[in-house]
Amino acid sequence: MMTASGRIRPPPAVVTASPRVLWVGPSGEPWLALSRVVRALGGEPLHVSSLDAAVPEMARVRPALVLVHWRLVADSRGPALSALRTRSGAAPVAVVAESNTPVEVLEAGEAEGVEDCLLAPLRLHELRARLAVLTGEPAMAPARPVERYTPRVVLMAGSSGPRAWGGLGALLEACGHHLIYSASVEGAAVRLVEGGVVPHLVLVSGEGPLAALKLLSTLRSRAVLEGVPALTVAVGPGTRAPGLAALLPRIDALLGRDSGSLHVEERVPFCCPVEFGEGGSRETEWTSGFSSALSPGGLIIRTLVPPRPGTPVRLRILLPTTRERLETHGVVAWSNPFVPRTGLAFPYGMGVRFLGMGPPRLMHLRQLCQPVASL
């Protein structure tokens, strides 16, 4: 058989496409700055000017990352942001904010499922780190996993979602655990087999203790759950936060993990830009994210590129309302970097415990928490 002369092209499967980054926002200096950074990293920058225009564009361009200017979030008066988040699929959505971005903007973004925040002007190393994890590039020095820090998977049998059982699932997710929800025994078994996941703990609840025990005995007959510890819990729509928080030490003990609750009983919603850097050196490369909850003992930070658990970090907490910048030290208590969730429910980001915080600064944080907690 004769073949056409000329240069032989490699098969399409071995051609690596440039990662696409979709910018949703104005076409001025922020777009030009983003274009320069993305092209310097070998990526392809794309642009639309509004959230409504971005939604139909998602299926066509299939970006690796979506960046939304904070003013579009502030001006949005409809479901455009949630629709964009739904259509983005595996592509995370991040807000590009400034140090004085109103708190309400980040609160709205967090409520709609935004998973990261980058501060303007965009920094090359920050975008490089995110594109590396999104495109599956290997880490420069992969860390050996430490057993007590590996993600813990919890199966909630009899639960229809994170808001069931008084919101226990949402609370466990916010403590860094990975959750599988199933309303039936059959559904739980199918999810575990299809996902190839073996949970570290099974939580069971039902209409009264006898129903919970019956469900537990049925689960025990499944081979995939052989040897997995189980706990029956009596929670429901009327269960209040203090009752849920009291369960966490027992659950953490069963999981063989240091308590990651970060003072759940005193935690309040708290959205503001945050920068963090590994170690205590003054040459630290700062990475941005945003906080979603705060307690006097620690902070939950949403970001696609958190450091490993056990890493000491420096923190800059930017307070748009008072235009203050609190600086402190901490250690990463739990960490969920970007990986495909494949049926598991958990937030990207990390929980940070404060270290060495003096009484005046701790009192200031308590004052910040108090007005929200009293609502």
Side-chain angles (χ1 to χ4, degrees):
M1 180 182 293
M2 298 294 291
T3 58
S5 60
R7 189 174 181 180
I8 299 175
R9 296 181 179 180
V14 301
V15 177
T16 303
S18 301
R20 292 176 171 177
V21 178
L22 178 62
W23 168 251
V24 186
S27 58
E29 181 55 34
W31 160 241
L32 295 176
L34 173 67
S35 300
R36 289 191 293 266
V37 173
V38 172
R39 289 196 177 98
L41 296 172
E44 180 183 354
L46 304 166
H47 171 246
V48 293
S49 58
S50 69
L51 288 170
D52 291 331
V55 172
E57 193 77 354
M58 294 298 303
R60 188 181 70 84
V61 302
R62 296 186 181 278
L65 176 65
V66 181
L67 300 178
V68 181
H69 193 273
W70 70 268
R71 291 192 183 278
L72 296 188
V73 180
D75 296 339
S76 177
R77 291 295 183 268
L81 183 59
S82 59
L84 176 65
R85 182 66 193 86
T86 302
R87 295 287 185 90
S88 67
V93 176
V95 170
V96 176
E98 299 168 358
S99 58
N100 61 345
T101 295
V103 171
E104 293 79 10
V105 173
L106 292 177
E107 289 176 344
E110 204 271 337
E112 297 293 347
V114 169
E115 296 166 326
D116 202 348
C117 174
L118 287 85
L119 287 175
L122 296 177
R123 293 173 284 205
L124 187 69
H125 74 273
E126 283 203 87
L127 203 52
R128 178 189 289 117
R130 285 160 173 86
L131 290 180
V133 299
L134 293 174
T135 57
E137 292 183 16
M140 295 299 292
R144 182 180 178 183
V146 181
E147 178 59 25
R148 71 179 184 275
Y149 287 144
T150 55
R152 292 297 192 248
V153 180
V154 179
L155 169 63
M156 289 183 62
S159 168
S160 57
R163 298 299 173 187
W165 303 4
L168 179 59
L171 184 59
L172 290 172
E173 285 184 36
C175 292
H177 299 295
H178 294 191
L179 274 292
I180 300 175
Y181 303 98
S182 180
S184 67
V185 174
E186 293 75 13
V190 169
R191 286 194 176 189
L192 294 175
V193 172
E194 287 183 348
V197 178
V198 178
H200 296 86
L201 178 66
V202 178
L203 295 180
V204 185
S205 186
E207 297 292 336
L210 293 179
L213 290 174
K214 182 178 179 180
L215 180 58
L216 178 58
S217 65
T218 309
L219 283 168
R220 282 296 189 202
S221 65
R222 306 285 174 163
V224 70
L225 293 174
E226 184 177 356
V228 177
L231 177 66
T232 58
V233 294
V235 294
T239 306
R240 297 184 177 275
L244 295 176
L247 289 171
L248 294 179
R250 187 177 180 188
I251 291 174
D252 283 330
L254 288 170
L255 292 171
R257 173 175 156 175
D258 186 21
S259 179
S261 62
L262 298 177
H263 293 268
V264 170
E265 70 280 1
E266 299 180 62
R267 184 189 298 168
V268 296
F270 189 80
C271 289
C272 67
V274 176
E275 293 181 292
F276 58 90
E278 297 187 31
S281 170
R282 294 193 176 275
E283 303 300 322
T284 297
E285 279 193 338
W286 293 97
T287 300
S288 53
F290 72 99
S291 67
S292 61
L294 170 73
S295 77
L299 191 69
I300 294 178
I301 300 174
R302 303 296 300 273
T303 176
L304 300 173
V305 288
R308 298 189 302 272
T311 302
V313 291
R314 295 174 62 197
L315 298 174
R316 290 174 177 169
I317 305 171
L318 309 177
L319 305 174
T321 304
T322 60
R323 297 187 180 277
E324 295 177 81
R325 187 176 77 175
L326 299 180
E327 297 196 19
T328 188
H329 293 265
V331 61
V332 179
W334 57 263
S335 175
N336 284 325
F338 177 85
V339 291
R341 290 190 174 100
T342 61
L344 298 174
F346 58 89
Y348 296 129
M350 61 181 172
V352 178
R353 296 182 188 280
F354 296 135
L355 291 179
M357 186 175 292
R361 190 172 297 169
L362 185 58
M363 181 62 69
H364 185 40
L365 281 176
R366 287 185 180 275
Q367 291 171 349
L368 290 173
C369 293
Q370 189 61 39
V372 185
S374 62
L375 293 179

